[in-house]
């Protein structure tokens, strides 16, 4: 699928070199998952990115933009083939998007080793936060462990003694469990990994019922989360077990889970009701354009566009000096919709994280809302292993 946001600006009589490059359209390869139940995650990221570009009159940093959207189909081999096309055929200036960690692992080296900038708008594996860091990779989301660390610290601070952990069997699932256990010092009664894309949790719920933990902590994005929440309620486990989650109860799943999710806790660096001017403007514009409540994925896509815009603007459209572009990206000279935002040495954000819960708004729509701040200006634990200065 190929999407051209604006027509290329044709400039006659311009010289060659930097000025000619600045006159060409900026090419963005948007790689997101747009197939199957997780497609909603990719849609939210792309919608957030496209909204900011539209607000800039179809430009980023003063240059017209061509956005080439590629569906990775949640298949690493497909992602690898398509990213090579973006790099070799389309010669994109930036690759962005990347919903799932197994996709990031497939495309990371081809993109960064080609010295093309990769602006990750979601997946943040530990692999690339430490020794595998690159000057060509920047994240506008988080390092995977961090969101889950919020829940581990919350569970520990609230005095919960036993926990049942449930996650998909791939890198992000393993990062989620590692993040939770980093702060939770109680007894983990069981640690269960399911197939990525699993939709039937009857066996896992039976194990939870038998174990009788104080809390269940889970990471189940997209359709997996929808089914888990519904089945958890149907099994009546909510009456005796506290449900803690990440990427399971959010604006991508709430339209389907509705009242089944109201009151359930999650963790995030962003919510629609986060109180800052940039966020209020973003949420208002997003809902007006798309007719649905934005999610953290939407906010990360929007900030990815803001980040690219800030760097291209600082470079006056000329991206030929890669070291200078890296420095411009690292400044993160934009008003993030999450508020506090600055880059660590590994190009993952240092930011605030919150305990949030699902609520039903006065207009009948469902959203997440901040309960309390758990981490302030928090960097990931792998940054010290990154050799970049």
């Amino acid at each position: 699928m190929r999407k051209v946001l604006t027509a290329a600006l044709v400039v006659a009589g311009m010289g060659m070199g930097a000025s000619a490059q600045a006159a060409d359209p900026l090419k963005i390869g948007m790689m997101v998952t747009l197939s199957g139940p997780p497609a909603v995650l990719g849609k939210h990221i792309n919608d957030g990115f496209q909204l900011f570009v539209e607000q800039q009159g179809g430009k980023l940093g003063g240059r017209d933009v061509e956005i080439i959207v590629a569906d990775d189909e949640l298949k690493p081999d497909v992602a690898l083939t398509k990213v090579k096309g973006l790099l070799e055929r389309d010669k994109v200036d930036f690759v962005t998007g990347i919903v799932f960690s197994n996709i990031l692992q497939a495309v990371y080296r081809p993109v960064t080793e080609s010295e093309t900038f990769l602006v990750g708008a979601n997946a943040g594996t530990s692999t690339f936060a430490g020794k595998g860091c690159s000057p060509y990779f920047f994240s506008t989301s988080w390092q995977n462990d961090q969101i889950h660390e919020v829940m581990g610290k919350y569970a520990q601070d609230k005095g919960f003694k036993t926990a049942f952990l449930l996650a998909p069997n791939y890198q992000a699932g393993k990062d989620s469990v590692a993040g939770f256990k980093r702060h939770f010092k109680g007894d983990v009664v069981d640690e269960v990994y399911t197939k990525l894309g699993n939709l039937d949790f009857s066996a896992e719920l039976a194990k939870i019922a038998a174990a009788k933990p104080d809390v269940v902590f889970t990471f189940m994005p997209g359709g997996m989360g929808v089914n888990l929440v519904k089945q958890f309620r149907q099994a009546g486990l909510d009456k005796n077990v506290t449900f803690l989650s990440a990427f399971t109860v959010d604006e991508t799943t709430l339209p389907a889970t509705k009242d089944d999710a109201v009151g359930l806790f999650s963790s995030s660096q962003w919510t629609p009701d986060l109180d800052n001017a940039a966020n209020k403007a973003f949420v208002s514009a997003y809902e007006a354009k798309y007719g649905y409540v934005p999610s953290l994925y939407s906010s990360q896509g929007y900030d990815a566009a803001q980040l690219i815009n800030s760097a291209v603007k600082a470079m006056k459209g000329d991206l030929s000096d890669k070291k200078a572009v890296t420095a411009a990206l690292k400044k993160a000279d934009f008003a993030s919709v999450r508020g506090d935002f600055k880059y660590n040495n590994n190009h993952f954000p240092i930011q605030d994280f919150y305990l949030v819960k699902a609520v039903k708004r006065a207009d009948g729509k469902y959203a997440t809302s901040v309960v309390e701040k758990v981490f302030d200006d928090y960097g990931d634990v792998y940054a010290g292993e990154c050799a970049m200065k």
Side-chain angles (χ1 to χ4, degrees), residues 73-345:
E73 303 175 28
L74 194 47
K75 298 174 181 176
D77 57 335
V78 171
L80 181 59
T81 298
K82 290 188 177 181
V83 85
K84 286 181 177 178
L86 292 172
L87 297 170
E88 298 167 9
R89 178 191 63 242
D90 300 307
K91 301 189 183 304
V92 296
D93 299 292
F94 293 88
V95 174
T96 190
I98 317 299
V99 181
F100 286 87
S101 292
N102 56 342
I103 301 301
L104 180 61
Q105 288 177 311
V107 305
Y108 181 88
R109 296 203 183 284
V111 178
T112 58
E113 288 177 0
S114 73
E115 298 188 351
T116 302
F117 290 99
L118 175 57
V119 177
N122 196 59
T125 64
S126 55
T127 317
F128 308 126
K131 294 178 181 178
C133 64
S134 167
Y136 292 97
F137 177 76
F138 286 81
S139 169
T140 59
S141 54
W142 22 257
Q143 191 281 315
N144 285 350
D145 296 35
Q146 292 178 296
I147 292 278
H148 312 288
E149 287 181 54
V150 172
M151 281 313 192
K153 188 172 191 304
Y154 174 76
Q156 180 66 25
D157 290 349
K158 291 299 179 183
F160 292 117
K161 302 301 183 185
T162 58
F164 186 107
L165 311 184
L166 180 63
N169 189 19
Y170 77 120
Q171 186 62 49
K174 294 172 184 176
D175 285 347
S176 72
V177 168
F180 182 88
K181 293 196 294 186
R182 185 163 291 120
H183 296 276
F184 181 68
K185 304 306 178 185
D187 181 24
V188 175
V189 298
D190 207 346
E191 188 174 310
V192 176
Y193 294 91
T194 68
K195 180 181 178 182
L196 182 62
N198 179 59
L199 298 175
D200 180 5
F201 295 93
S202 54
E204 291 76 18
L205 293 173
K207 288 183 178 181
I208 294 171
K212 298 180 180 179
D214 293 334
V215 300
V216 58
F217 167 71
T218 187
F219 155 62
M220 288 289 168
M224 294 183 291
V226 170
N227 281 28
L228 177 60
V229 166
K230 288 183 175 181
Q231 292 167 26
F232 184 83
R233 289 285 199 191
Q234 289 165 2
L237 290 172
D238 58 298
K239 297 177 176 61
N240 300 304
V241 181
T242 299
F243 188 93
L244 304 179
S245 68
F247 310 113
T248 305
V249 176
D250 60 36
E251 287 74 16
T252 67
T253 59
L254 284 169
T257 54
K258 298 181 179 176
D259 289 346
D260 282 338
V262 169
L264 296 184
F265 292 121
S266 189
S267 51
S268 185
Q269 84 289 4
W270 176 90
T271 61
D273 65 352
L274 207 56
D275 190 14
N276 66 70
N279 191 50
K280 289 177 180 178
F282 162 66
V283 172
S284 177
Y286 194 101
E287 292 195 31
K289 178 173 177 59
Y290 299 116
Y292 69 88
V293 183
S295 66
L296 78 165
Y297 305 98
S298 313
S299 74
Q300 292 158 190
Y302 191 83
D303 274 355
Q306 289 208 82
L307 174 66
I308 294 171
N309 178 70
S310 69
V312 177
K313 182 178 180 181
M315 299 302 298
K316 296 182 171 56
D318 177 14
L319 305 180
S320 57
D321 185 340
K322 297 295 181 74
K323 287 187 177 180
V325 176
T326 298
L329 287 165
K330 191 169 183 179
K331 286 183 180 178
D333 187 16
F334 63 93
S336 171
V337 296
R338 76 201 70 182
D340 290 354
F341 185 106
K342 64 181 179 180
Y343 275 119
N344 210 332
N345 67 294

